Amino acid sequence: MDSSTAGMMLTDALAHPLAWASARAQALGARDWLVLGGILLFQRLCVHIGMWAYCLAVLPGTALHEAMHWVVAALLGAKPTMPNLVPQRTALGWRLGSVRFQAGYLRSLPIALAPVALAPLAFWWATTFLPGAGSGAVYWLHAWLAASAFGASVPSTQDWSVAAPALLAAAVMGVVLWVVL
């Protein structure tokens, strides 16, 4: 694919996201959707096997989740530390990964919610690589990566607590503007 074709595909996806997503979703068969859902279910059930089994099952997603925090923090000049992917027990459970950064409330919001961008990336990955991957190890690797990325797109409790002050401020400003205007 040349750069002009890729540019046209990106422009079309941004101009008509629902039409693009619908067309891409048709590339996946029922088996593909069942495999992706099955992997997500397996990953969630691994927590009952043991924490280390769960950590290994979701490792690609954890790495992508933390990488998204790091990339957005770096782009916003928040001086992020390198992602830590070593699971740590905390008072409230386990922390699978972390990235520390220095930012005020405004810059913290996009950094904290950056993993949400993994959802469309996971969808693109699945619709691009699963249809032609056959049924062997390559297929399962692509399915595992796509499902892990989608599972990791959900902000963690810590992400929400970092984003909460900015979300609250934005909500208050929205209500004030709505009342005033």
Side-chain angles (χ1 to χ4, degrees), residues 17-177:
L18 290 178
W20 175 84
S22 177
R24 297 291 299 187
Q26 292 175 9
L28 296 179
R31 174 182 157 246
D32 299 323
W33 289 108
L34 287 172
V35 166
L36 291 169
I39 291 170
L40 284 168
L41 179 62
F42 171 76
Q43 288 176 333
R44 296 302 164 240
L45 292 176
C46 276
V47 81
H48 299 293
I49 296 170
M51 197 58 204
W52 290 103
Y54 176 71
C55 291
L56 290 174
V58 299
L59 181 62
T62 302
L64 288 168
H65 182 101
E66 301 307 332
M68 291 301 293
H69 288 307
W70 188 90
V71 166
V72 174
L75 288 172
L76 295 177
K79 301 176 186 165
T81 62
M82 287 304 292
N84 177 4
L85 299 177
V86 178
Q88 297 174 331
R89 184 178 283 281
T90 67
L92 301 174
W94 284 84
R95 179 176 45 235
L96 302 184
S98 63
V99 172
R100 299 198 188 289
F101 56 89
Q102 300 172 8
Y105 292 131
L106 188 59
R107 289 187 299 162
S108 292
L109 181 63
I111 296 168
L113 299 182
V116 171
L118 288 172
L121 176 66
F123 179 74
W124 172 83
W125 189 275
T127 59
T128 300
F129 294 108
L130 288 183
S135 61
V138 172
Y139 174 85
W140 286 96
L141 178 64
H142 285 302
W144 182 38
L145 292 173
S148 294
F150 184 74
S153 70
V154 178
S156 67
T157 304
Q158 178 64 29
D159 295 341
W160 285 115
S161 68
V162 169
L167 288 172
L168 182 60
V172 168
M173 286 177 25
V175 169
V176 167
L177 289 173

Side-chain angles (χ1 to χ4, degrees), residues 7-27:
M8 288 187 339
M9 288 176 58
L10 180 61
T11 302
D12 190 45
L14 294 173
H16 309 286
L18 290 178
W20 175 84
S22 177
R24 297 291 299 187
Q26 292 175 9

